[in-house]
Structures are given as structure tokens and as C-alpha cells.
Amino acid sequence: MKIENSVALVTGANRGVGRIYVAELLRRGATKVYASARNPDSLADAISLDPARVVPLRLDVTSAAEIAAAAHTAADVTMLINNAGALSFGGALDVGQASIDRDMAVNHDGLRDVTRAFTPVLEANGGGTVVNMLTLLSFVSAPGFAAYNASKAAAWSMSMSLRAYLRPKGISVVNAFPAGIDTDMLAAVDAPKDAPEAVVRDVLDAVQAGEEDVYPASASDVHAAWRADPKQIEAAFAEMM
Ligand SMILES: NC(=O)c1ccc[n+]([C@@H]2O[C@H](COP(=O)([O-])OP(=O)(O)OC[C@H]3O[C@@H](n4cnc5c(N)ncnc54)[C@H](OP(=O)(O)O)[C@@H]3O)[C@@H](O)[C@H]2O)c1
């Protein structure tokens, strides 16, 4: 898909990877970028990138009312970027149910519900693209993030179902599986991390190239190793945290 002259909506656009998506979409010539966030007051940075092309939007991806309102307002969207995410720390036997519920609500249910609301919008605009920010942890678990792993595995599965459902409607689904990224989400974890700019560049390159699955920045080496020997990568990740 061409990004030039597209109209994009980014969830969780106020910070981290989401804010970088806004900048890079503008750089690649998007006509308009809806920068959405739970708290629109937190979007000043994103708006300042280009006040003429960045439109702030209130959107908590767990709120049915806000999702419906966003789909009504942003009726010209041709690219939806499901970027908002939540990560709870805790192992499989000690993470609380509230944390599991939160990660599932944002990472899985939110992705599905926002995509569902924007499907008629994308279809009415002649088709388009949905980008889902998944993670290598969709298919290899890091034991210290049990709720997050499970929610992103569910999101990956849902994304493949969505892809099959949306393809006949002229909507392609691009699934992105990054490794660790240097944002607030992993600030407490001492590990090698990719720059969000490198991740976003690779994902948008994949969108423009018409690829369905992208392993941006350092994720491509980990994915290649996983394909060669999944048990070895499972064992290596099991050592983490
Ligand atoms: N960082 C990593 O290592 C990494 C690796 C692989 C994949 N990812 C994925 O990449 C995406 C972006 O992550 P990030 O690193 O930028 O994380 P981040 O710095 O923690 O930012 C998370 C973003 O999601 C938003 N968000 C959380 N709950 C939301 C909700 N209910 N409704 C709407 N927005 C919500 C946050 O908004 P508030 O400011 O309101 O909290 C914030 O904008 C996520 O899907 C994440 O799982 C991240």
C-alpha cells in the first residue's frame, strides 16, 4: 500500500512507538494522521509534528463508546495502526487476574474491537491496511511477562483470522513482530533494545512492499533462529527474568 496520500489512524500515539509512527507517516506523505490516545491532552508532542495534518482523537481501545465515536469521526481512514499496548510484569503462577484481564483487554480485545469498528470505514474508502503491533513474544514466551505473552499470542491468532476475513473486502492485515524496543514499556528491563525509529521504518517499508508479516530491526535474526530451531529459542527465552 502507498503511504503517500493515505489517511492513517494510530492508537496509543501519545508516546513510545505510536508517536514515532505519527512522525514517520507524516514524513512519508500521509495526508492526515489521526493521533489517538486515552487522554488527548497528552498528544501535544504528536500534534506539534505538523498541526495541519495531525488530528487528535480520544480513544481508549477498551471503551466501546470511544471506539464507535472514533470510527464515526475518522471516516476517511485508509490505514489503521493498532499500536496501543499494555504489559504487566509477573510469572504464570503469580501474576494477578486483574493484570491478565488488562493485558487481554488492551492487546487482544482492543485490537479486535477497533479493527471491527473500522472495517466498514476501510471498505467504504476502497480498501486499505490494518497494521497490528504484535511481538516476538506472540510465539516465544518470556516467563516474567506471562499475561503479556498470552495476550499477544491471542492477538496473533486473532490477527490471522482477521486477515482471512478482511482480504475479500480489499483490506490487508500486516502483522509486526518486534523484539525489545527502547520505550517506557521496557524501561525497567535491562536488555538490548531496538530504537523505535528503526522498528517503525521497517514496518512501514513492509506495508509499502505489500508484505504480510514483518520482523523489524533485530527481530529478523531472532525469527530466523526460531525458524531454524524453535526449541533452542524457547530455552533461551526461558532463561530471561
Ligand atoms: N517496547 C517493546 O519492547 C515492545 C516490543 C514489541 C512490541 N511492542 C508493542 O508495540 C506497541 C507500542 O509499545 P510501546 O513500546 O510504545 O509501549 P509504551 O511506551 O508503554 O506505550 C504504550 C502506548 O499504549 C497506550 N495504551 C495503553 N493502554 C491503552 C488503552 N486502553 N487505550 C489506548 N491506548 C492505550 C499508552 O497510552 P497511555 O499513555 O494513556 O498509557 C501508550 O500510548 C505495543 O503494542 C507493544 O506491545 C513493544
Side-chain angles (χ1 to χ4, degrees), residues 12 14-15 17 38 60-61 83 85 134 148 152 179 181 183 186:
N14 53 317
R15 60 190 174 98
V17 177
R38 291 193 280 194
D60 180 331
V61 302
N83 167 76
L134 304 171
Y148 181 78
K152 289 286 189 176
I181 312 172
T183 64
L186 274 197

Side-chain angles (χ1 to χ4, degrees), residues 20-64:
I20 303 299
Y21 266 119
V22 176
E24 188 62 16
L25 287 161
L26 294 170
R27 203 184 66 76
R28 294 184 188 218
T31 308
K32 189 194 285 185
V33 181
Y34 290 100
S36 75
R38 291 193 280 194
N39 174 9
D41 292 343
S42 64
L43 287 165
D45 258 15
I47 296 167
S48 71
L49 293 168
D50 187 340
R53 285 190 291 159
V54 177
V55 180
L57 202 60
R58 179 187 298 279
L59 179 55
D60 180 331
V61 302
T62 67
S63 161

Side-chain angles (χ1 to χ4, degrees), residues 27-209:
R27 203 184 66 76
R28 294 184 188 218
T31 308
K32 189 194 285 185
V33 181
Y34 290 100
S36 75
R38 291 193 280 194
N39 174 9
D41 292 343
S42 64
L43 287 165
D45 258 15
I47 296 167
S48 71
L49 293 168
D50 187 340
R53 285 190 291 159
V54 177
V55 180
L57 202 60
R58 179 187 298 279
L59 179 55
D60 180 331
V61 302
T62 67
S63 161
E66 290 184 14
I67 293 171
H72 181 74
T73 302
D76 49 354
V77 163
T78 58
M79 179 170 11
L80 166 66
I81 302 192
N82 285 311
N83 167 76
L87 182 152
S88 299
F89 292 93
L93 300 185
D94 51 52
V95 66
Q97 188 59 43
S99 299
I100 296 174
D101 292 348
R102 184 187 75 133
D103 286 10
M104 282 298 289
V106 176
N107 298 337
H108 171 272
D109 305 355
L111 179 154
R112 195 277 314 267
D113 292 348
V114 174
T115 304
R116 183 169 52 189
F118 275 91
T119 294
V121 171
L122 294 167
E123 217 179 348
N125 293 328
T129 300
V130 177
V131 176
N132 294 322
M133 283 301 279
L134 304 171
T135 157
L136 288 175
L137 301 184
S138 294
F139 50 89
V140 198
S141 288
F145 311 147
Y148 181 78
N149 300 328
S151 69
K152 289 286 189 176
W156 177 28
S157 177
M158 180 56 70
S159 296
M160 289 187 285
S161 296
L162 285 167
R163 177 181 283 156
Y165 186 79
L166 296 179
R167 191 179 286 122
K169 298 177 184 293
I171 302 167
S172 53
V173 173
V174 178
N175 290 334
F177 303 89
I181 312 172
D182 193 6
T183 64
D184 295 345
M185 183 170 273
L186 274 197
V189 177
D190 184 19
K193 295 168 203 170
D194 290 321
E197 291 82 359
V199 170
V200 165
R201 240 182 353 252
D202 285 355
V203 174
L204 294 183
D205 283 352
V207 168
Q208 287 177 310

